[in-house]
Amino acid sequence: MNNQLQELPYNELSRLSGLRTLNLHNNLISSEGLPDEAFESLTQLQHIYVAHNKLSVAPQFLPRSLRVADLAANEVTEIFPLTFGEKPALRSVYLHNNQLSNAGLPPDAFHGSQAVVTLSLSSNRLSYVPPSLPSSLERLHLQNNLISKVPRGALSRQTHLRELYLQHNQLTDSGLHATTFSKLHGLEYLDLSHNQLAAVPAGLPHTLAVLHLGRNRIRWVEAARLRGLRGLRYLLLQHNQLGAAGLPAGALRPLRGLHTLHLYGNGLDRVPQALPRRLRALVLPHNRVTTLGARDLAATPGLAELNLAYNRLASACVHRRAFRRLRALRSLDLAGNQLTLLPSGLPASLRTLRLQRNQLRALEPEPLAGLDQLQELCLAHNRLRVGDIGPGTWHELQALQVLDLSHNELSFVPPDLPEALEELHLQGNRISHVGPEAFLSTPRLRALFLRANRLHVTSIAPEAFLGLPHLRVVDTTGNPEPVLVQLPPTAPRRPRAEGP
């Protein structure tokens, strides 16, 4: 492998009848340099790797003993009946990143090879799902082709299929039948993203755990098409065209086991109603949600992650009890909205709170009271000034390790920061001086970011970092002058006690 071979040294190989693995990966071998008789003597060959070469057609014959064949990343336009056919031990075939069309794939390509569990035909030029694929398949990769239809019955024999990848094709609703997936009784993972579907496909297998439908043209989610998918854990519907009416209340209620729902980029104007009660992650950024009512999230008390970033939420339209039922919430993302105040009633269970790119002008202690488990707080790109941060704002944030106040209007380091703080982002403010007592309250600080402020060569007091034994990073680039930074000396390591 990784040489400049242009042809297979057939005379040398003919003496290696016991060879089990042949690795010719990443050479310059063309089909002309790979004669048909090259493999006749390799009767015990189990693994062949000819990926990243210059093959234009596949070998007409490969040994019957083969288990793994990798011909990926060539220029293959045609395979033959005995390339992969009549191989009872063959389990994995990799043909991705070639030039295969349906015409180059014979109907008996896998005849007599009924142990194949993995077949990769992604990134070729297939226009429809090939018929007569091995019935033993468990993983089938067909992404990045030109597939516009799945012929009736093309997947009727693949009852062991667990993973099916059809993303980045040209599938429309008319290219799928109600029975397309009906025989796939073991299918757990189905990716139909980046196609041209206008509706959720009918006849989905009840065994599905993951369903990718992102980046299609879906305008309407019909509850009947989701009925029976009680084991579905992840539903991804991002970047479709649902709008205000495409997800009626209760449409997702049949999905009783749903864990994660992705709906970003759909033009939704409110949080979907009557969501599955066991939902743990609701991802709704880049929509048009303007209001968060008292009961909008009441049906999903088990939420651990809620992402409403880059919507149109204003402080006056977020009810003070909107988060009251979310006692398991660990991550809340409200970045990129129109909030001028911190929301009230935040759950005490929060570990991460993101509020960057809002219009916050003031911080008060009350909204942050009780958040003694919060570890990361992002307030970057707001309009905060030190005088608008109320006394005691940080008092109850006993577990806070990361605080991002970058790109605000701070003129100096805010006082009384949390003691547990390890990472402090203050870049892009108006800080011109750092006094000797700036970090007295943060003895665990490890990283400090002060780039792009108004600091000059002696703006940082020499004593500022004396009580910070863990400090390793101080970033002061992008200031008017290079800044003199004196890090505290690191404590010497004690020598290990050696045994007798």
Side-chain angles (χ1 to χ4, degrees), residues 288-345:
R288 301 172 185 168
V289 179
T290 58
T291 304
L292 204 53
R295 299 194 56 79
D296 283 354
L297 299 166
T300 52
L303 273 184
E305 177 188 350
L306 176 59
N307 190 330
L308 281 163
Y310 300 96
N311 277 277
R312 301 177 181 179
L313 290 168
S315 292
C317 298
V318 178
H319 197 279
R320 59 185 177 84
R321 303 179 74 179
F323 308 105
R324 182 175 61 93
R325 296 287 301 277
L326 306 183
R327 296 175 183 174
L329 194 67
R330 296 172 66 93
S331 175
L332 175 60
D333 194 339
L334 293 169
N337 279 281
Q338 301 165 20
L339 303 176
T340 54
L341 299 170
L342 292 177
S344 301

Side-chain angles (χ1 to χ4, degrees), residues 19-56:
L19 190 67
R20 292 177 178 269
T21 299
L22 177 59
N23 192 341
L24 296 166
H25 177 89
N26 203 19
N27 278 284
L28 301 172
I29 299 172
S30 65
S31 295
E32 291 75 19
L34 200 63
D36 293 338
E37 64 273 15
F39 303 102
E40 287 181 357
S41 61
L42 304 181
T43 56
Q44 297 186 44
L45 191 67
Q46 295 183 0
H47 304 87
I48 182 169
Y49 303 99
V50 201
H52 292 275
N53 276 278
K54 302 291 184 181
L55 301 181
S56 56

Side-chain angles (χ1 to χ4, degrees), residues 122-419:
S122 59
S123 299
N124 277 281
R125 296 181 175 181
L126 302 175
S127 57
Y128 56 88
V129 173
S132 305
L133 294 173
S135 59
S136 52
L137 279 178
E138 296 180 8
R139 287 171 294 277
L140 176 57
H141 293 263
L142 291 166
Q143 65 267 34
N144 291 302
N145 275 281
L146 306 170
I147 296 173
S148 60
K149 65 177 180 178
V150 182
R152 192 182 298 270
L155 296 172
S156 61
R157 297 166 55 248
Q158 285 67 37
T159 56
H160 301 287
L161 198 63
R162 294 170 52 198
E163 301 171 18
L164 177 56
Y165 300 87
L166 280 164
Q167 68 269 31
H168 288 279
N169 277 289
Q170 299 175 12
L171 285 167
T172 61
D173 295 347
S174 61
L176 301 176
H177 302 278
T179 59
T180 294
F181 306 109
S182 62
K183 300 295 184 181
L184 305 181
H185 302 309
L187 195 66
E188 299 173 1
Y189 187 105
L190 176 58
D191 194 340
L192 290 164
S193 62
H194 294 268
N195 278 282
Q196 300 169 24
L197 302 175
V200 176
L204 294 171
H206 294 175
T207 50
L208 274 182
V210 180
L211 177 58
H212 285 261
L213 291 168
R215 291 195 180 273
N216 277 278
R217 301 173 181 177
I218 297 174
R219 296 177 177 272
W220 178 262
V221 175
E222 187 179 344
R225 297 201 169 184
L226 299 174
R227 196 162 292 130
L229 300 184
R230 296 184 178 182
L232 192 67
R233 299 273 292 163
Y234 297 88
L235 176 58
L236 289 85
L237 281 163
Q238 68 272 22
H239 294 291
N240 277 284
Q241 301 172 15
L242 294 175
L247 195 61
L252 303 180
R253 187 175 288 165
L255 307 178
R256 296 183 181 180
L258 196 65
H259 177 284
T260 298
L261 175 61
H262 282 224
L263 285 167
Y264 49 86
N266 267 288
L268 303 177
D269 61 0
R270 63 173 301 175
V271 174
Q273 300 300 289
L275 292 172
R277 185 172 180 81
R278 296 179 185 175
L279 195 66
R280 297 281 291 167
L282 179 57
V283 186
L284 286 167
H286 295 282
N287 279 287
R288 301 172 185 168
V289 179
T290 58
T291 304
L292 204 53
R295 299 194 56 79
D296 283 354
L297 299 166
T300 52
L303 273 184
E305 177 188 350
L306 176 59
N307 190 330
L308 281 163
Y310 300 96
N311 277 277
R312 301 177 181 179
L313 290 168
S315 292
C317 298
V318 178
H319 197 279
R320 59 185 177 84
R321 303 179 74 179
F323 308 105
R324 182 175 61 93
R325 296 287 301 277
L326 306 183
R327 296 175 183 174
L329 194 67
R330 296 172 66 93
S331 175
L332 175 60
D333 194 339
L334 293 169
N337 279 281
Q338 301 165 20
L339 303 176
T340 54
L341 299 170
L342 292 177
S344 301
L346 295 172
S349 55
L350 275 180
R351 304 289 198 278
T352 302
L353 176 58
R354 301 187 186 281
L355 289 160
Q356 66 267 32
R357 296 189 183 276
N358 276 278
Q359 300 170 21
L360 298 177
R361 293 179 176 272
L363 298 179
E364 295 296 336
E366 288 79 12
L368 297 175
L371 300 186
D372 56 3
Q373 298 181 60
L374 191 67
Q375 297 175 1
E376 182 176 347
L377 174 59
C378 186
L379 296 164
H381 291 277
N382 279 285
R383 299 181 180 179
L384 295 170
R385 301 182 180 184
V386 175
D388 299 323
I389 301 176
T393 292
W394 319 111
H395 180 68
E396 296 196 33
L397 304 182
Q398 301 171 7
L400 194 68
Q401 296 177 1
V402 179
L403 175 60
D404 191 346
L405 286 164
S406 62
H407 301 283
N408 277 280
E409 300 174 12
L410 306 177
S411 54
F412 56 91
V413 178
D416 302 318
L417 292 171
E419 182 177 348

